[in-house]
Amino acid sequence: MRRINWGNTIFLIVSPIIALTFLPIHITLEGMPWSLLILFAFSCLATSVSITGGYHRLFSHKSYEANKFVKLFYLICGAAALQGSALKWSSDHRRHHRHVDTEEDPYNIQKGFWYAHIGWIFLKDDPKYANQMAPDLKMDPLIAWQHKYYYLIAVVVGFLFPTLVGAAFGYPLGGFLYGGIARVVITHHCTFFINSLCHLWGNQPYSDKFSAKDNFLLAFLTYGEGFHNFHHRFANDYRNGIKWYHWDPTKWTIRSLSILGFTWSLQKTGENEILKAVLSADKRKIQNKGFYDQHMESLKLKIEEAHRRIQHAKARYNALKADLSAQKDRKLFELRLELKTAKKEFRVGLQQWQTLKKLG
Ligand SMILES: [Zn+2]
Ligand SMILES: [Zn+2]
């Protein structure tokens, strides 16, 4: 029988009670000042993206590389999200991927919505799992530093900082409530939805061999993590929503940072591989209905082959276009140079001509 983790349990029960009791009182007395609403929005954004882009896609899955400033930001704001250190979080999450839907899965959805959502955090984990899946992260000095001072960073950045910001606008208690308590409660449950609802509601376009689902609605609450079926199938991809219109602010943040040179080596799954996964998942569904036949199998192979040819032709087309464009640039440069030289020779010759003409 696993023992209760009283620290986690009390915090997870008391924080929503404080938010639901004191926030309405504060709103009644002070209204909803813009300064506090902006503080709430920014603190939600900073701590949530540090979890989704930092703890999850960078530290747990290594789906891209980032410089020290970005890592430090993720570690500081990630601690303020109060979901444990990056080391513990990533180790648990890697275990979730490796043993999804089994007894070894720390937030196993087979034990029900409440267990996967929050119940697992109420219980003490078996010490044999402690940071077991993240030996590489233990070696990272920044991650080790955050693990050591996690509680101090969490209190200073998660509560003291927003209180001081609120105080600067004349609302110290408001800063604590909006940027601290309410923000942490909202961020907690939005992240927890990934482990609960994203394993219960939605579609399974890429694989039904595990419980993870794609859910457009949850993508809005989870900064893009709602495309969880794709994520479990291709966990090393820096994207979760792969179409341009998929709501995935985490992907957009990582991509924008790469344009500035702050992140790089963004891992992307090949389109052909994705198509093969979709067709294989469809095949299983059709087989379960009992009408998959040889004709469908050859059609599947034909589609895969045609798609592979499209990808190949596209790559060659783009390479040739780039090559022609470089050739064109070089030719234009040569012509400009020739024009310039000829003009100069013409001008100098004409000047000499005029001079000689006058002398004659
Ligand atoms: Zn999952
Ligand atoms: Zn993951």
Side-chain angles (χ1 to χ4, degrees):
M1 185 69 183
R2 283 166 64 188
R3 295 195 2 244
I4 304 269
N5 183 330
W6 286 108
N8 285 355
T9 307
I10 291 168
F11 186 83
L12 286 171
I13 292 173
V14 170
S15 53
I17 294 174
I18 295 176
L20 290 171
T21 312
F22 289 96
L23 205 60
I25 296 174
H26 195 272
I27 291 170
T28 313
L29 296 175
E30 306 277 5
M32 291 175 89
W34 277 107
S35 54
L36 294 181
L37 289 174
I38 292 169
L39 174 66
F40 175 72
F42 269 96
S43 55
C44 278
L45 189 69
T47 51
S48 298
V49 169
S50 294
I51 294 294
T52 59
Y55 275 33
H56 187 213
R57 300 191 200 182
L58 179 64
F59 301 133
S60 301
H61 293 300
K62 295 191 171 296
S63 65
Y64 64 101
E65 302 271 351
N67 70 12
K68 278 188 181 152
F69 297 110
V70 175
K71 278 186 181 177
L72 202 60
F73 179 85
Y74 286 156
L75 290 169
I76 288 174
C77 295
L82 284 162
Q83 297 183 18
S85 71
L87 183 62
K88 187 196 180 304
W89 199 104
S90 302
S91 177
D92 285 346
H93 190 69
R94 286 176 183 178
R95 185 148 61 93
H96 166 63
H97 273 265
R98 183 170 298 178
H99 302 290
V100 66
D101 302 325
T102 69
E103 200 55 45
E104 298 275 294
D105 178 353
Y107 17 96
N108 181 9
I109 194 66
Q110 306 306 323
K111 293 185 178 177
F113 169 85
W114 284 109
Y115 180 84
H117 187 73
I118 202 168
W120 70 280
I121 314 168
F122 292 165
L123 300 172
K124 277 193 174 159
D125 209 5
D126 189 327
K128 76 174 181 189
Y129 293 127
N131 310 325
Q132 175 206 40
M133 304 285 282
D136 54 321
L137 300 182
K138 277 185 203 166
M139 308 295 284
D140 186 316
L142 280 178
I143 292 176
W145 166 80
Q146 192 238 27
H147 186 69
K148 193 173 172 190
Y149 297 107
Y150 164 70
Y151 286 106
L152 181 67
I153 306 168
V155 171
V156 171
V157 183
F159 296 106
L160 189 63
F161 179 71
T163 306
L164 292 175
V165 173
F169 290 95
Y171 307 104
L173 185 63
F176 175 77
L177 289 171
Y178 282 75
I181 290 288
R183 182 265 314 161
V184 98
V185 171
I186 295 281
T187 310
H188 266 165
H189 289 276
C190 286
T191 308
F192 299 165
F193 278 146
I194 304 163
N195 300 331
S196 55
L197 290 181
C198 288
H199 279 267
L200 281 175
W201 288 347
N203 309 317
Q204 295 185 301
Y206 305 98
S207 177
D208 63 355
K209 290 180 183 167
F210 41 74
S211 60
K213 311 277 195 295
D214 268 18
N215 187 317
F216 273 70
L217 201 65
L218 285 171
F220 285 100
L221 293 178
T222 56
Y223 295 79
E225 305 276 60
F227 302 98
H228 207 53
N229 187 252
F230 176 84
H231 174 62
H232 267 266
R233 181 67 184 76
F234 300 107
N236 294 327
D237 201 308
Y238 85 97
R239 309 160 301 170
N240 277 14
I242 52 168
K243 303 278 188 219
W244 66 267
Y245 54 84
H246 283 171
W247 181 261
D248 189 351
T250 306
K251 165 186 77 176
W252 298 326
T253 307
I254 299 166
R255 182 90 184 86
S256 307
L257 289 171
S258 79
I259 295 166
L260 298 171
F262 283 48
T263 59
W264 60 93
S265 300
L266 278 53
Q267 302 294 314
K268 246 173 119 173
T269 316
E271 281 185 40
N272 205 245
E273 213 182 318
I274 295 172
L275 176 86
K276 276 185 177 174
V278 171
L279 293 177
S280 296
D282 285 349
K283 179 180 169 178
R284 270 169 65 90
K285 282 172 205 158
I286 300 165
Q287 273 175 333
N288 288 340
K289 287 179 188 164
F291 67 88
Y292 195 81
D293 58 13
Q294 195 50 47
H295 172 66
M296 291 198 76
E297 180 61 22
S298 50
L299 189 60
K300 177 177 172 285
L301 295 175
K302 210 169 157 183
I303 295 168
E304 284 173 0
E305 175 56 18
H307 190 263
R308 196 192 59 75
R309 283 192 356 247
I310 292 171
Q311 297 301 306
H312 191 56
K314 249 189 201 171
R316 276 170 40 216
Y317 175 87
N318 289 331
L320 185 65
K321 204 169 136 188
D323 192 37
L324 287 176
S325 160
Q327 272 185 38
K328 189 182 88 183
D329 287 349
R330 206 169 42 246
K331 197 76 201 160
L332 283 173
F333 176 76
E334 283 170 10
L335 284 172
R336 270 198 299 271
L337 198 69
E338 198 182 315
L339 193 66
K340 207 172 151 186
T341 317
K343 271 183 177 173
K344 199 176 167 189
E345 278 173 18
F346 173 74
R347 215 170 40 244
V348 173
L350 202 62
Q351 272 170 5
Q352 285 174 353
W353 177 263
Q354 300 292 356
T355 315
L356 289 171
K357 201 168 87 176
K358 278 178 198 161
L359 285 174

